[in-house]
Amino acid sequence: MTSTHAFWLAGRQATGEDTFDVSSPWDGRLVGRVSVPTDAQVEEAVAAAHAVRDEFAATPAHVRAAALDHVSKRLVERTEEIARLISAENGKPLKWARGEVGRAVSVFRFAAEEARRFNGGEAQRLDTDLGGQGRLALTRRFPKGVVLGIAPFNFPLNLCAHKIAPAIAAGAPIILKPAPATPLSGLIIGDLLAETELPAGSWSVLPVANDKMPALVRDERLPVISFTGSEKVGYAIMDSVPRKHCTLELGGNGAAVVLADWASDEDLDRAAQRIATFSNYQGGQSCISVQRVIADASVYDRLLPRVVAAVEAQVTGDPGDDATDVGPLVSEDAAKRVETWVQEAVDAGAALLTGGKRDGASYAPTVLADVPADVTISCEEVFGPVLTVRKVNGEAEAFAAVNDSKYGLQAGVFTHDLQTAFRAHRALEVGGVVVGDVPSYRADQMPYGGVKQSGVGREGVRFAMEDYTYERVLVLTGIDL
């Protein structure tokens, strides 16, 4: 008999009246049964967070840092258990699930470090004008209030960590909503936070249904919203609450540019391997997976067969097998959508070089060339293991091709030239440019986010903390400077 997973309400375990089942996208087996909070319990969590906000903001830094350090260490101790849980509920191959746990370990460790040094205060002399003589301004940051964190399914542990850890480090209470398809990993974080001395009410993990979210989004006691997910939902949230602070990490269609100077056999082998790996990791279900390859004409004919061969070498199958590189998508519906988009491109004249087959929730790693610019897969985020390859003439055309997108999350540029790297940094309309690698690289302490339809604001522990807080200035008068 399957036990029911309780949720976390104001720091304590609780159960509601209803439950829902979490199933494996690989084989459909029951992974867990989760209790759903009632409306009254959601209200209790929000009221508790709102009531404790001043107390939590004043909590000594060492208390918050100790709690974050504790979670980081406990994640290490439970790595294999949690990785297998991620793989079961998400379909992510074990090798990538273990990596996700490792990243969450770092996120909580970084947050503990930032909690200790954040908000040291900045002093500013005001006697630069006569009227400011004897005055000193001290600027510190204070929480804007309770954070509503809404996490997606593709990184069910680490993207929950990116909501919770910065909030705790900044002294902001948080209500976390994990994705309905993958709530178990987020509930694990609750298990570990419950072992700490954080004030009751400062955090809750509530697996509420998506149709309950509009009321939470509009609740005035939750002035900060941090959302990771689809463009459509993210901007609908922002439009519904224009006076709230929203951090939105939305979609992308990441481009990997291979320029003419990346031309040796060793260079092209490395580019092909990195492109193949990171167009297919997580089943392509990453906002910064490689979706577009834009290659200079001088290297295109040598690169393309290498990319196809490297994609075909990706091991597909059971995500619980250590050898598997590519598992299923999160659901059969997701795989059917990818199948439809690929078929649309092929019908419009694209060349299918490998892949293009679906088996239940699994979709074979796929490479397309000569893809028309107006088909869906050229314009939207595929969020599946599909790669398009395009030939261009020169750097300017390559950079223009990257920018010819409504998205602007990250881009990768394969070049050895430092001047080219700086031109890319200036020219590319994205939140991050990765030189010598694919756009899929992310260090969890760096600023991460996009421009255009890829969102607003930045994640990355310190940068999220700044999003969750505001500056308040204290002016001291009669000071001998």
Side-chain angles (χ1 to χ4, degrees):
M1 183 175 180
T2 302
S3 61
T4 298
H5 294 261
F7 52 85
W8 291 95
L9 193 169
R12 71 178 193 280
Q13 281 193 313
T15 56
E17 297 171 356
D18 297 320
T19 63
F20 68 92
D21 292 342
V22 178
S23 301
S24 165
W26 169 247
D27 57 13
R29 67 184 171 87
L30 181 64
V31 178
R33 183 164 290 133
V34 177
S35 184
V36 180
T38 64
D39 291 347
Q41 288 171 318
V42 172
E43 166 59 27
E44 183 181 349
V46 173
H50 183 71
V52 81
R53 67 194 189 284
D54 291 338
E55 175 191 345
F56 193 42
T59 301
H62 72 87
V63 174
R64 287 177 277 118
L68 293 162
D69 270 331
H70 174 83
V71 174
S72 180
K73 292 171 183 175
R74 292 285 284 133
L75 286 170
V76 172
E77 294 169 1
R78 297 178 63 178
T79 292
E80 189 64 18
E81 169 203 349
I82 298 171
R84 291 189 178 277
L85 179 63
I86 292 171
S87 183
E89 69 172 347
N90 170 277
K92 182 174 299 191
L94 268 176
K95 64 166 65 175
W96 297 116
R98 292 187 184 108
E100 181 175 349
V101 179
R103 289 180 60 187
V105 168
S106 296
V107 168
F108 278 96
R109 186 180 75 249
F110 296 149
E113 295 166 359
E114 292 294 347
R116 293 184 174 98
R117 61 176 170 246
F118 187 72
N119 214 359
E122 179 183 345
Q124 181 182 17
R125 294 180 67 133
L126 300 179
D127 61 353
T128 50
D129 287 317
L130 178 62
Q133 189 166 328
R135 296 181 188 268
L136 181 75
L138 180 66
T139 303
R140 293 189 292 161
R141 301 190 71 89
F142 294 86
K144 294 173 180 174
V146 183
V147 177
L148 173 60
I150 307 171
F153 70 82
N154 56 328
F155 289 86
L157 179 75
N158 195 42
L159 292 184
C160 286
H162 270 286
K163 309 300 182 191
I164 290 178
I168 291 172
I174 180 163
I175 307 290
L176 176 75
K177 178 202 176 295
T182 56
L184 301 175
S185 301
L187 292 172
I188 285 280
I189 296 177
D191 294 350
L192 307 184
L193 286 172
E195 299 169 355
T196 71
E197 301 300 321
L198 293 176
S202 60
W203 60 273
S204 293
V205 181
L206 303 179
V208 297
N210 288 341
D211 62 7
K212 298 290 185 181
M213 291 311 297
L216 269 177
V217 165
R218 292 191 300 267
D219 196 307
E220 294 183 357
R221 295 167 295 178
L222 307 174
V224 179
I225 298 172
S226 178
F227 171 85
T228 301
S230 74
E231 166 199 353
K232 178 181 178 181
V233 175
Y235 283 114
I237 288 173
M238 177 176 277
D239 290 345
S240 71
V241 285
R243 296 187 181 181
K244 287 194 177 190
H245 179 90
C246 294
T247 297
L248 306 179
E249 199 279 280
L250 308 177
N253 55 1
V257 177
V258 184
L259 293 176
D261 68 310
W262 199 270
S264 71
D265 287 341
E266 182 181 359
D267 284 344
L268 295 176
D269 286 344
R270 170 175 162 75
Q273 186 58 57
R274 296 293 287 176
I275 287 166
T277 297
F278 288 97
S279 63
N280 293 292
Y281 86 126
Q282 330 287 340
Q285 297 169 123
S286 168
C287 297
I288 47 176
S289 67
V290 185
Q291 182 170 330
R292 298 181 291 156
V293 175
I294 299 165
D296 189 85
S298 64
V299 298
Y300 180 89
D301 289 339
R302 294 166 57 217
L303 175 66
L304 184 56
R306 286 173 161 89
V307 169
V308 172
V311 167
E312 290 178 342
Q314 297 287 301
V315 178
T316 62
D318 184 351
D321 187 333
D322 283 324
T324 298
D325 298 312
V326 186
L329 275 69
V330 72
S331 68
E332 186 169 359
D333 284 345
K336 286 179 178 178
R337 177 188 55 77
V338 173
E339 181 180 41
T340 299
W341 288 13
V342 170
Q343 190 60 53
E344 177 199 19
V346 171
D347 290 344
L352 177 63
L353 303 183
T354 190
K357 293 182 173 61
R358 181 181 66 83
D359 180 8
S362 296
Y363 196 81
T366 298
V367 180
L368 297 167
D370 305 319
V371 181
D374 58 348
V375 299
T376 306
I377 214 161
S378 293
C379 305
E380 302 293 338
E381 178 181 39
V382 65
F383 227 58
V386 180
L387 186 64
T388 67
V389 187
R390 174 180 175 182
K391 183 191 300 185
V392 295
N393 292 301
E395 175 190 308
E397 187 176 335
F399 290 174
V402 174
N403 290 340
D404 186 20
S405 170
K406 67 178 181 178
Y407 297 112
L409 192 47
Q410 292 198 164
V413 180
F414 287 91
T415 181
H416 295 291
D417 186 78
L418 185 61
Q419 293 292 351
T420 301
F422 275 89
R423 285 196 297 271
H425 196 207
R426 182 173 61 249
L428 296 181
E429 299 166 353
V430 293
V433 177
V434 184
V435 175
D437 207 349
V438 292
S440 316
Y441 175 78
R442 178 185 180 185
D444 291 283
Q445 72 271 37
M446 78 183 196
Y448 176 74
V451 297
K452 298 193 281 189
Q453 299 301 301
S454 287
V456 294
R458 291 296 180 266
E459 290 192 339
V461 176
R462 179 170 66 84
F463 304 93
M465 292 170 69
E466 290 174 357
D467 258 0
Y468 296 168
T469 57
Y470 70 97
E471 294 175 319
R472 186 187 298 167
V473 66
L474 174 70
V475 178
L476 302 175
T477 303
I479 305 294
D480 291 331
L481 299 173

